[in-house]
Amino acid sequence: LISRLEEVRAVKAIFRQCRQELAAEGHALANNIPFGIMIEVPSAALIAQHLAREVDFFSIGTNDLVQYTLAVDRGNPHVARLYAPLHPAMLSLISIVSGAALSRGIDVSMCGEMAGDPICLPIVLGLGLKNLSMNATSIPLAKAMVRSLSVKDCEKLVNEILELNTAESIEHC
């Protein structure tokens, strides 16, 4: 759970040290191994423009990001009803991360239930995400939906919903 720039830099230093040790031991190493991070907490999403300078890719972990953004444990029956992937705060964070990645020319993907949710998929595509990781059971429907959707229409939808102020109004739209 990366939450600050210093963590990324520390892990990169460990990564470089491990590469040097392996090379010294005579192991063959690939020249260019992409280095990326999961965006799973609001603090990471909010500093995505800084993190994007340090990594080759982002993966947005929506299950944790929703939980930490909304302070809702989806496994707790007392508050699970408040778990809302389409909460305006969530969409704002995803937009920030996607925008930072796209502006720096790095890849951004999404994993978690949101990536395979048919209600969320047009919004996810409209936010600029093209690489999605989901449960195998979600793939056939997601694949069919992606083939039937226009990215331009999805972007128009996102422009509309980013003006809305509740998860319920976004879901309805």
Side-chain angles (χ1 to χ4, degrees):
L1 296 173
I2 295 293
S3 65
R4 51 203 305 159
L5 187 59
E6 297 87 348
E7 293 170 321
V8 174
R9 290 178 175 161
V11 171
K12 284 175 71 174
I14 293 167
F15 181 74
R16 284 191 297 272
Q17 180 182 349
C18 290
R19 282 186 59 83
Q20 290 170 350
E21 290 172 11
L22 290 169
E25 293 173 7
H27 297 281
L29 302 170
N31 289 331
N32 189 12
I33 300 172
F35 183 90
I37 60 170
M38 296 284 297
I39 303 289
E40 301 170 290
V41 295
S43 59
L46 291 170
I47 62 166
Q49 75 278 11
H50 303 297
L51 296 171
R53 294 184 189 117
E54 299 284 334
V55 300
D56 300 309
F57 65 90
F58 289 150
S59 181
I60 302 171
T62 59
N63 295 348
D64 286 334
L65 189 57
V66 173
Q67 179 170 315
Y68 293 119
T69 300
L70 303 180
V72 173
D73 178 1
R74 63 190 172 138
N76 181 331
H78 300 292
V79 295
R81 64 180 165 67
L82 300 173
Y83 186 90
L86 294 180
H87 188 286
M90 269 300 297
L91 299 183
S92 293
L93 291 176
I94 294 168
S95 181
I96 289 168
V97 173
S98 179
L102 295 173
S103 72
R104 291 292 300 176
I106 67 170
D107 290 333
V108 59
S109 62
M110 177 181 281
C111 64
E113 291 179 18
M114 194 173 178
D117 184 331
I119 300 293
C120 298
L121 195 54
I123 297 166
V124 168
L125 295 175
L127 286 167
L129 291 140
K130 295 177 179 70
N131 298 311
L132 308 172
S133 175
M134 64 194 71
N135 291 323
T137 57
S138 299
I139 293 173
L141 177 58
K143 189 175 180 180
M145 283 189 69
V146 167
R147 288 181 173 160
S148 70
L149 293 169
S150 154
V151 172
K152 288 209 182 292
D153 289 342
C154 293
E155 289 169 348
K156 286 179 190 173
L157 173 66
V158 165
N159 288 334
E160 287 178 38
I161 65 163
L162 288 178
E163 298 298 319
L164 301 175
N165 57 15
T166 67
E168 293 80 14
S169 61
I170 292 168
E171 288 174 23
H172 178 74
C173 185

